[in-house]
Structures are given as C-alpha cells and as structure tokens.
Amino acid sequence: MKNTTALTTLALLIALFFGVVVINNELLGHYRIDLTEDKVYSLSPGSQKVLDELDEPIVLYFFFSDSASKGMTALRNYANRVQSLLEEYASRANGKITLKVIDPEPFSEAEDLAVQYGLTGATLGPVGEAIYFGLAGTNAVDDQFSIGFFDPQQETFLEYDISKLIYQLSDPEPVSVTLLTDLNLLGGQNPMSGQYTPPMTFYSQLNQLYDVTTIGSDASQLPDDTDVLVVVHPQNLSESLLYSIDQFAMKQGRILLFMDSHYESDPMAMMSAMGANASEFSLLEKWGINVDTSKVVLDARLGLDIRTPEGAVARHPGIIGLTGEQLNREDIITANLELINGSSFAPLSLNQDSRLRLTPLAYSSQDGVAVSSSDYALTRDPGALQRMLDTTKQQYTLAARIAGATRSAYDSAPDFEESNAMQSAHVSQTTQLNVIVFTDADMLADRFWVQQSNFFGETLFTPFANNGDAVINASENLAGSSALISIRGRGTYARPFEVVQALEAKAEARFREQEERLQAQLQQTEAQLAELQSVQNESGALTLSPEQQAALDEFIAQRGAIRRELRDVRYQLERDIDTLGNYLKLLNIAVAPLVLVSLLWLSARLFKRRAGKQVREELAA
C-alpha cells in the first residue's frame, strides 16, 4: 500500500513538473524578471514605444558564426547577450517581429545571405575563418537595414542600435532637413583671395544623407515638411520666422543649433577688426536656455597652436581642440569622437527656473576662463589673450543635449499676416523639446577639421578632426522618433569576479617584485659574461678563472631558485583561485540543495503537525 502511494505521488510530481514547464513556456514565455544591476536584459520605455508604433511585420535575421567561434568565450557570451535581447524585442512586439537565428557556416547559402545583407565578416583567431556577428532586418515592402558587426566595445549602445534599426524599418520615409542660415555654404569666389571655394564639407555630407532645404533669415516660416531643423549662426530673423521656429519646437521639437559669440570664419571678420560677430536667437532665453554670446571661453590647456602674422607659432587659448576627455562618452553623439576643433565657444547653461534637462556633450577643461566677446574680437595677439587667463578658472559646458518641458515664447500667435492661418493651431507648451546646441559655428568651417588636397585634378577632403561626425551624429539622432532619442547608453552585462581579481592583483604584485629581481640579476650576468668573453686564449676558447667559474655557477643556482619561487607564486595564485572555485561549487552543488531540502522537510513537518492537531481537535469535539 505504501509503495503504491509513493509511486502515485512520484507520478503526480512528474506530471506536475511537466505541466508547470509547459505552462511556463506557452503562457508565461514573455514574462521575465531582470535581476541585473543595470537592467541590461530589459527594454527601456523608448524601445517599448518604438515597438508599440510598429504598423507592419518585420523580420530580423541574427547572424552569428556559432560553429566557427568555438573557444572564443568572451565573444560567445556577448552573442548570447545580444540574442537574449533580440528575443526580448520579439516577445514584446505582439507578433510583429519574427526573429531568425542563423549560423553562416563557411561556403554556405547562409554565408551568402549574410554578405547579401551587407554584414561584415571579421577574421579572428589563428585559423583565419570569417566570424559573422551582425543583424539584418526587412519589412513588408522589402526595405532592408543592417548592423554590420556587433562591436563588444559599443555594448552600452546595443539597445539604441537595435531600436534604431527597427525604427528605420517601420518608418523608411526620407528625412527632410531644413537648414536655416545666411552663411555661404555653397562656396563661390572668396573675397579675400579671389579664388573659387567649394561647398562646405558638412553641407555636402548632409545633402548625401537627407533631403536638405536651405532657407535664409528672409524666410517667413519653415517648410511644412520639416523633420529636423538645423540653425547655423542665426542673425536678424524676422518675427514671423521666429514664431514658426517656436511652434516647430513646441510640436516636433527637434532642433540642431550652432550659436557663436564671434563667428571668425566670416571673410569680413577675418579681413578687419569689426567687433564681435555674435549669433542672435532670442527664443533660447524664453525657453529657459542661456547661451551667453557676450562671453568667449578661453582655455590655456586646450588651446591650439597657430601661425601669427609675423610667422611665429603661438598657442591660441580661444581656438581650442576638445579631446576625448572633454566629450561625453555616455551619449551616442559624442561616444566615439576623439577631437572637435572650434573657436570662440560661448558658455552654455539653463536658467534657474527652467524645467528642462541639460546633458553636456562637450565642456572645457578646469582651466576655462570666460572673457568679453568684444574684447576677444578686437584682440588678434595670442599673447594678449594669454594675459586674460589670470582670472577665476572653471569648467564650462560648450555643447549639450537639452530636453524636457518648456513653454512657448509666445502667449498667442503674433498679429502679422503670415500668422493668420496658424492662429487657431497655436501650441503654448511642450514636454518633448529636443534641442542639441553647439556654442560655436566656426567648427563647421572646413579649415577647422578637414584638409583639402589635389589628386590628378580632383579635390580630396581628408578630415583631421571629428567635427563633421558630430554634425552627422546629432542630425541622425534627431531624425529618429522621440522614443529613439530618449534611449541612452545602458550598462554592460559582464560582472567582474572581484574576489578573483583581488587575488590576481595581489599575486601579480608579488610576481612583479620577483620579476624585477630576476631582471636585475640577468643584467648583472650579461655584464659579467661580456667581461668574461673578452678574456680568451689564443685559440679563441673562452677561459675562466676558478673564481669567475664559481661566481657564474653561483648565479645560475640563484637564478634557478628565483625561477622556482616565481613558479611557486603562480602555483599559489592558481591554488587560491581553485580553492575559491571549489568553495563556490560546494555552495551551489551541495549546500544550496541541502538548505532547500531542509526547508521543504521543515515545511512538510509543520503542515503535518498542523493537520494532526486539526484532526485531534475535530475528534475531541
């Protein structure tokens, strides 16, 4: 009877186990709990919004050379991380994303498909096989986009890259960029040299990527199809145009702005001292943003060398190069940039009562000094500017991403003819303003970041700084949806073994000490051997005195002892790590199950005792 009961109980437990597994896989598959510190396996609200806005099914092809990457533990772990995140996208897309995982083995149709989608095969390892590790996607109308290779060093932007690809598949319409400026972007005859100058390189790059419409300050309003507004060194804008920009900010809110305290690249400003050539954009102050164009930031540490009119070379504290230390490594716009050159940057901040959020993209060093832009414009001697640095120094924000809530600069549509049609559509506030501000417009001029050369009659442009990359990155980021813009860099999935690292560091310190001793002994021996080699008999054979031979034998024995000590240090290191590993295995394999079984036994005893007590009480009643 007892055996029958035990078998029945075991069968029920097995059936219950398989039932729970089936229910979990079929009904609870997309419910997950992310216990990682930075929630690296979860989607941010911005990514979830991109998925919610999908209006057609898409197919994602995840290519990873699983068979060719045997032994590449770090890469395979990262591939598992990427695949897990892609599965999270698919499970959250309500059936609108189909994920296909493909192993593109060499000379297979899968490899041809990876090449067809534009994926890059990286040659890794001693065998030299191509490793594919990328993502391609297609939509219902056969548009396709891809991520050529998932670089583990760019892991913090993994979610952004995937969400961007999905957004591109869901909204493949070309982006319309309106460029507002009075600067001569198209080139032409230079009034200083009389020679023809080509279009600005950044303008040519924008034209290659987007549908660009250029308007000047004489325009009355922005084009209706504007997706992203790029404003470069604004001056003398009409009231109707300012109102149109304000309403664009309240509705779409995607503006890339280049302000300047003194635009030095203006040919007239370069020919004569005409005073500060500052940008004018009154909307910023009313939105809660302060670009102080009455000041220029000087930086002795970041100043670049220039050639003076006298032919000498001097450091100019107003013409500065922002290196990686001055660029925000956690924002997609500046994460991979190494150098941005510019001139006469203005300080950037928010007003005290502003509800906006400011994320710095670039900033000066701690040696920044703000001086009058008028004095700066009239001072052509770098030495005189150097003397202005003997004042209070601090770090200034020179470029930033500004987002959040703000009010319109206008209580209602102004009373002018162009505004009649917009009067009823006036928007008084927004919670989704997205403005990227660079406080220098000179950085767009070719002389600050690109070098021209003539190659068989063709002009080639070679960048020596990342100014153009900053413009393209900012434009590309703003061209996405507000949900995509909101996605920031995420944490990494790898968790360090801190105790193991501490053991390794301790042993490495001991090893280095021993290694230095050995190197010192080797240097002494080489000197001794060089001296001994100079003592030779007539036949060319090396002759050693008994004392020299004894000294050499003593060193060889000492060297052997030190090498044995080094091996012992390594052995101790490995033994300490193995001991820690065995201890963790014991906890996971033995102790944890024992604790679980003990808890179950105690629970069973408790329930049994309560049941017995209840039966006794019922019998007594």
Side-chain angles (χ1 to χ4, degrees), residues 56-254:
E56 62 182 50
I58 64 174
V59 181
L60 298 181
Y61 301 89
F62 175 51
F63 292 89
F64 178 65
S65 301
D66 183 71
S67 56
S69 61
K70 301 294 185 184
M72 301 179 184
T73 306
L75 187 67
R76 292 173 68 87
N77 287 341
Y78 186 47
N80 290 334
R81 150 95 162 106
V82 174
Q83 182 174 338
S84 177
L85 188 60
L86 289 172
E87 291 171 351
E88 183 73 9
Y89 275 92
S91 66
R92 295 292 188 91
N94 297 322
K96 293 182 179 179
I97 292 181
T98 301
L99 176 64
K100 296 184 178 181
V101 181
I102 303 175
D103 180 3
E105 297 182 352
F107 308 106
S108 66
E109 293 183 1
E111 184 180 35
D112 294 338
L113 183 62
V115 174
Q116 175 184 334
Y117 282 127
L119 269 63
T120 304
T123 303
L124 302 174
V127 180
E129 292 185 358
I131 303 296
Y132 290 90
F133 183 21
L135 181 68
T138 60
N139 58 16
V141 293
D142 293 331
D143 292 310
Q144 65 181 44
F145 295 91
S146 64
I147 298 174
F149 195 88
F150 286 109
D151 185 356
Q153 296 182 353
Q154 300 299 315
E155 182 184 356
T156 54
F157 301 109
L158 173 62
E159 183 187 1
Y160 177 86
D161 290 337
I162 297 175
S163 295
K164 174 185 170 184
L165 182 142
I166 294 174
Y167 173 75
Q168 290 173 323
L169 290 170
S170 65
D171 188 17
E173 295 297 324
V175 176
S176 296
V177 174
T178 296
L179 182 57
L180 169 58
T181 186
D182 284 334
L183 302 183
N184 182 16
L185 305 180
L186 298 177
Q189 188 175 20
N190 190 320
M192 294 181 61
S193 62
Q195 297 180 350
Y196 173 81
T197 58
M200 286 190 180
T201 305
F202 94 92
Y203 175 73
S204 300
Q205 290 178 336
L206 281 179
N207 268 310
Q208 292 173 3
L209 296 173
Y210 309 111
D211 293 337
V212 179
T213 301
T214 304
I215 62 175
S217 59
D218 55 345
S220 60
Q221 63 183 45
L222 301 177
D224 294 335
D225 62 346
T226 301
D227 294 318
V228 177
L229 174 62
V230 181
V231 183
V232 180
H233 189 43
Q235 290 179 320
N236 304 318
L237 303 184
S238 66
E239 191 70 19
S240 61
L241 182 56
L242 285 172
Y243 178 71
S244 179
I245 296 173
D246 174 83
Q247 289 300 288
F248 175 82
M250 296 301 106
K251 297 172 184 177
Q252 283 87 359
R254 291 179 283 184

Side-chain angles (χ1 to χ4, degrees), residues 229-290:
L229 174 62
V230 181
V231 183
V232 180
H233 189 43
Q235 290 179 320
N236 304 318
L237 303 184
S238 66
E239 191 70 19
S240 61
L241 182 56
L242 285 172
Y243 178 71
S244 179
I245 296 173
D246 174 83
Q247 289 300 288
F248 175 82
M250 296 301 106
K251 297 172 184 177
Q252 283 87 359
R254 291 179 283 184
I255 300 176
L256 175 58
L257 177 62
F258 294 88
M259 297 286 288
D260 208 320
S261 296
H262 177 50
Y263 183 64
E264 302 177 42
S265 300
D266 185 341
M268 299 305 296
M270 298 173 65
M271 291 177 62
S272 61
M274 54 177 291
N277 182 15
S279 304
E280 302 170 2
F281 198 62
S282 58
L283 295 178
L284 285 181
E285 184 70 22
K286 297 176 181 178
W287 291 341
I289 305 170
N290 180 26

